Amino acid sequence: MPIVVTNIPRVPRTLASEFASLGVATVHEAQGRKGLMASNMRPIYRPACIAGSAVTCEVAPGDNWMIHVAVEQCQRGDVLVVTPTSLCQDGYFGDLLATSLKARGVQGLIIDAGVRDIATLTEMQFPVWSSAVCAQGTVKETIANVNTSINCAGARINPGDLIVADDDGVVVVRHAEVDDVLRKAQARVANEDEKRVRFENGELGLDIYDMRERLAAKGLRYVESDD
Amino acid sequence: MPIVVTNIPRVPRTLASEFASLGVATVHEAQGRKGLMASNMRPIYRPACIAGSAVTCEVAPGDNWMIHVAVEQCQRGDVLVVTPTSLCQDGYFGDLLATSLKARGVQGLIIDAGVRDIATLTEMQFPVWSSAVCAQGTVKETIANVNTSINCAGARINPGDLIVADDDGVVVVRHAEVDDVLRKAQARVANEDEKRVRFENGELGLDIYDMRERLAAKGLRYVESDD
Amino acid sequence: MPIVVTNIPRVPRTLASEFASLGVATVHEAQGRKGLMASNMRPIYRPACIAGSAVTCEVAPGDNWMIHVAVEQCQRGDVLVVTPTSLCQDGYFGDLLATSLKARGVQGLIIDAGVRDIATLTEMQFPVWSSAVCAQGTVKETIANVNTSINCAGARINPGDLIVADDDGVVVVRHAEVDDVLRKAQARVANEDEKRVRFENGELGLDIYDMRERLAAKGLRYVESDD
Amino acid sequence: MPIVVTNIPRVPRTLASEFASLGVATVHEAQGRKGLMASNMRPIYRPACIAGSAVTCEVAPGDNWMIHVAVEQCQRGDVLVVTPTSLCQDGYFGDLLATSLKARGVQGLIIDAGVRDIATLTEMQFPVWSSAVCAQGTVKETIANVNTSINCAGARINPGDLIVADDDGVVVVRHAEVDDVLRKAQARVANEDEKRVRFENGELGLDIYDMRERLAAKGLRYVESDD
Amino acid sequence: MPIVVTNIPRVPRTLASEFASLGVATVHEAQGRKGLMASNMRPIYRPACIAGSAVTCEVAPGDNWMIHVAVEQCQRGDVLVVTPTSLCQDGYFGDLLATSLKARGVQGLIIDAGVRDIATLTEMQFPVWSSAVCAQGTVKETIANVNTSINCAGARINPGDLIVADDDGVVVVRHAEVDDVLRKAQARVANEDEKRVRFENGELGLDIYDMRERLAAKGLRYVESDD
Amino acid sequence: MPIVVTNIPRVPRTLASEFASLGVATVHEAQGRKGLMASNMRPIYRPACIAGSAVTCEVAPGDNWMIHVAVEQCQRGDVLVVTPTSLCQDGYFGDLLATSLKARGVQGLIIDAGVRDIATLTEMQFPVWSSAVCAQGTVKETIANVNTSINCAGARINPGDLIVADDDGVVVVRHAEVDDVLRKAQARVANEDEKRVRFENGELGLDIYDMRERLAAKGLRYVESDD
């Protein structure tokens, strides 16, 4: 029988907020290129950028009942992550649920399904990453799990893992690895900032990364165009 | 042989305009969740929101000739609905046709195919919902029906039915059901406005909709996290 | 073994810049409806509009090494065109490479694969047309060709061909045909400007293009609605 | 509220059976190229070919309850046509339901959703045309309509219309037009049989259909290869 | 750094083989509808049916090096499960690797990517479930993990979990749950065998499952057709 | 204006026929992994395997007129390659055209569009590789080129190039490179035959290809499972 797990662990909010400015691509690299959701998970408006602890929620196809159950489990700073138990594009989520989540201080929604009322959600500046936009509503008949481990858009999410989402997509960081990934991501950013100055000054990646010799060793040849 | 049906019935413009503010999701719910087009029908710019009587138009694949015929059948406040007789993504419609429709007071275009010149259409603020954006043009060789019943993006459209389109998608309301659906949709909006205040005040859907008992009866259990 | 072709021919920049204002749809028509990339090649922000000489670049799946090689071959006004040797949606290109290309005066990127850091690219106003947005990074292990003829998103591109890209998509014009296509495209625009005035004044395409007789000859009939 | 319509009209079985040998492509042409379902509706095994009266059935996403209701409305020679009220790929139908339909003499199933147990269905030689194969099961919570007009895979189906399905796809013929379409389809077959003999003898379509003059008038030119 | 985990646990072969005859749909139901891979994972020939312990293998996009590493970890009765670290359709696997796996007694391959030489694989009767068929080959440059937990086609797979695959798709059973799921699945089959006899005898699901009262309570009404 | 190029070069039939037994994957590897069509080009029945000189044919969307023109240009042993000028899934080709091609000794059809009458084509054993199966017919209104260079399913085809197609897909070999590719492909086959014996005898790819040292150098580590 389905369960709702209460009092899940969370990533401290000050820690989580440091991830939002790092961005999905950097965090994904920093943790060894794992935890990325499929690229069809797109934000309903841009730019948008959040980071917070995952509250996870399964829903039956065409049935959003458990989202109401999950809302109660959400705290300030959380990110709600919803996955249907089978492929579905229905509009599970609209402006009333967004109002409820916003009242609780939830930062945004990640859903591998459809969302609706996106004009209002955009006005409210409540960000959603979804695999569809669809006005088709849902019923409230079937129960499912809240705050268990789920697969969402190809990624494994445990409740309390850190979710980072921006215009590039959505990535999950394991709760236990947050400190380590943050340190590595910040190091990447520092390194990239330094590189950016060199690129702005017209230096080439070929030289910055010392690639010429290795390219030649692989056999790359330069030839004049005969056109 | 193809026909053009003239003097189709229309939904009064003052009545139609009340639907634009209600939105697609609400109208779709109010009429019992029918009449929604497929979710790949997306607006070329956002926000966009229209409601008006359908002028229907079939086109051959790669052939936009009948759109010119359909333009003449359009009146102020209408919405032109175009469907190809087989799957096609070509750019059937661009800024010249939009200029012509705008000059006649047409509110927008719904097309289960491609559209082009979307930068200009956006500047003109002539809204289009389409299944593709594509610069590929079309020919003018084959005739087809105007103002007959058509299937467009999975929905059945009769000429004179009401089309409502916004950022969530496109829905059709049968001409004979417009009054009834309007009344029901307005009741939904009133009900939602009241609910929205309660959600803003932090009340939960679990309580507003009295769900707790029914969830328990279904067997939902709450357990403490052991993490 | 892979090669890098240097000193490719280019379309003069003043000539290229005239194409940007003409737009993809017009250029595609003017050259007889050829050279269009597939319609899933979409700009990361809108509006965006560029025209320049193609520097072509092949990349292995999940490997962006050759983009660094291609950057060095780019000159002011060029457009970089990247195609993977097999289907791949990884994020081959981000803000550092964009900084490098921008420092060289490159106008934009066309890539039949993924791109990342799109929030930053949008801020930088460095336009990209891509078939995906994806935070997944790439490696630097495999070499491939730069400035050879490639297939990109269904179109054949030779180095030095003219690329025109706008909100409608991407089209290529053969280097040798640029003058001819420009003349034809400008003639189209003049003709369309004249037509636009007539459409604005409420004239119908049926009359402007003299279609009524031909439609009747095809058998089109007008019937009154019996609704 | 949902309804089940009983005692729907039917196409006489001897009449229906004549359509099976004509095939979908011929029937579709004979009725003026209308009524074809989308091409993602594929048979689970080949060859397969049926024709019979439609019993129509709506189902909620992930919910096959109404198929059990529809089975009771099926008679010998019928074809069951099932469409979900929103996009769903779940496996609504398996070997037990097939056993039940077969026991009633039903010819096959058309479903714009998933089917499972296809190895057994193939052994049983119970043909199914579906848009997916999926082992994911369904629940029995939500009621919907049986034997009302439905949209299925882009086609409009009224109960009692004739369904023809073969390796090429699925087409619907309006109940009132069955006689007319049969006559036209048989004429097509006779004409094609005659043409087939001529093609077998090496005659060209260019001559059989007298195309050469019209091609030349369109401007087609023949040139020698210079390779 | 990537690792290869050796001496993973395995499901006893006699136990595993009992699952093959139960089939994917039954096993999926018996374990509470979890563990199913996405429905685009299709067998290269039909019928095909296997069950065995998972050896898991990550591969870089366009790079099949680690499959060679994984082969060595495979024992008689195993099923090799391969997932690329980003979306890729290349043909990672052909007849030579199949020959190697067959020599080791491996039952089949599950790969969320492409496969090639399928004519030969079919002749050899070496079954493969894949998301693509593609002749495009791969390189051997990048290492990755073997026998770690992976996500494959939307399902989580731990090394040593049981894989069951047939014409309906692919499902994973957790190693620790194999006994329990087997018992439940066998009970389902016994129950279905009994039901099948009743269906064959013409009884209706409405009666076998006692649905009529509940349908009426939901409000379902029967009305005569007026056609 | 469209042209038909006559007397195109051809690959000698005895030479072409040697490619059929080599297969697409081997030929593709042998020529440096180029010339492969997209993997959605699938045979209508399996197994199927052909190799012959390309006669190329453009068609307008929904218009198969030029196929009749192309038939006349086909000789014994040729392969007809058809591409629409914009994306289209209509059924351009059926049993009458197959009868005509078969009468001329044509080996098969490659078409990046739809095909119909596939039950009959399968009986006739006339192989077709297509991107769709669709009963939707076409018209005969628009002319286009025959035997010019075309892009088909992502590959560039010149008339007289060699087409090789089997269960894995379709590849093109440039006319001028046929001898060279044949020699390389035959060498690959000889090498693979030798390897196959070693794999059959239980040798591992790790040893046959001497991979262990290089894997260790990349940092791959082996660890015992702790399960």
Side-chain angles (χ1 to χ4, degrees), chain E residues 133-153:
Chain E
V133 172
C134 183
Q136 170 87 29
T138 50
V139 299
K140 290 173 181 60
E141 293 282 354
T142 307
I143 62 173
N145 296 305
V146 170
N147 277 334
T148 59
S149 293
I150 60 172
N151 282 334
C152 181

Side-chain angles (χ1 to χ4, degrees), chain D residues 96 99, chain E residues 186-201 203 208-209:
Chain D
L96 286 185
T99 302
Chain E
Q186 287 171 332
R188 281 189 75 88
V189 167
N191 178 279
E192 288 190 354
D193 285 346
E194 179 201 2
K195 294 286 189 301
R196 188 172 294 105
V197 174
R198 296 177 66 180
F199 278 119
E200 281 167 352
N201 291 337
E203 276 191 78
I208 293 174
Y209 302 113

Side-chain angles (χ1 to χ4, degrees), chain D residues 173-184:
Chain D
V173 181
R174 292 279 164 265
H175 185 272
E177 299 173 5
V178 165
D179 288 305
D180 182 49
V181 173
L182 177 60
R183 202 174 53 247
K184 287 176 180 163

Side-chain angles (χ1 to χ4, degrees), chain B residues 92-153:
Chain B
Y92 280 84
F93 184 94
D95 69 327
L96 287 185
L97 277 165
T99 300
S100 184
L101 285 178
K102 201 160 190 180
R104 297 182 78 79
V106 173
Q107 295 197 58
L109 171 73
I110 314 293
I111 182 166
D112 188 6
V115 61
R116 58 184 185 171
D117 300 331
I118 64 168
T120 307
L121 298 181
T122 302
E123 270 174 45
M124 291 170 64
Q125 289 285 295
F126 186 84
V128 177
W129 285 254
S130 72
S131 50
V133 172
C134 183
Q136 171 86 30
T138 50
V139 298
K140 290 172 181 61
E141 293 281 355
T142 307
I143 61 173
N145 295 305
V146 169
N147 277 333
T148 60
S149 293
I150 60 173
N151 282 335
C152 180

Side-chain angles (χ1 to χ4, degrees), chain F residues 118-137:
Chain F
I118 66 168
T120 306
L121 299 182
T122 302
E123 271 174 44
M124 290 170 64
Q125 289 285 294
F126 185 85
V128 177
W129 285 256
S130 73
S131 50
V133 172
C134 182
Q136 172 87 30

Side-chain angles (χ1 to χ4, degrees), chain D residues 124-144:
Chain D
M124 291 170 64
Q125 288 286 294
F126 185 84
V128 177
W129 285 255
S130 72
S131 49
V133 172
C134 183
Q136 171 86 30
T138 50
V139 299
K140 290 172 180 63
E141 293 282 354
T142 306
I143 61 174

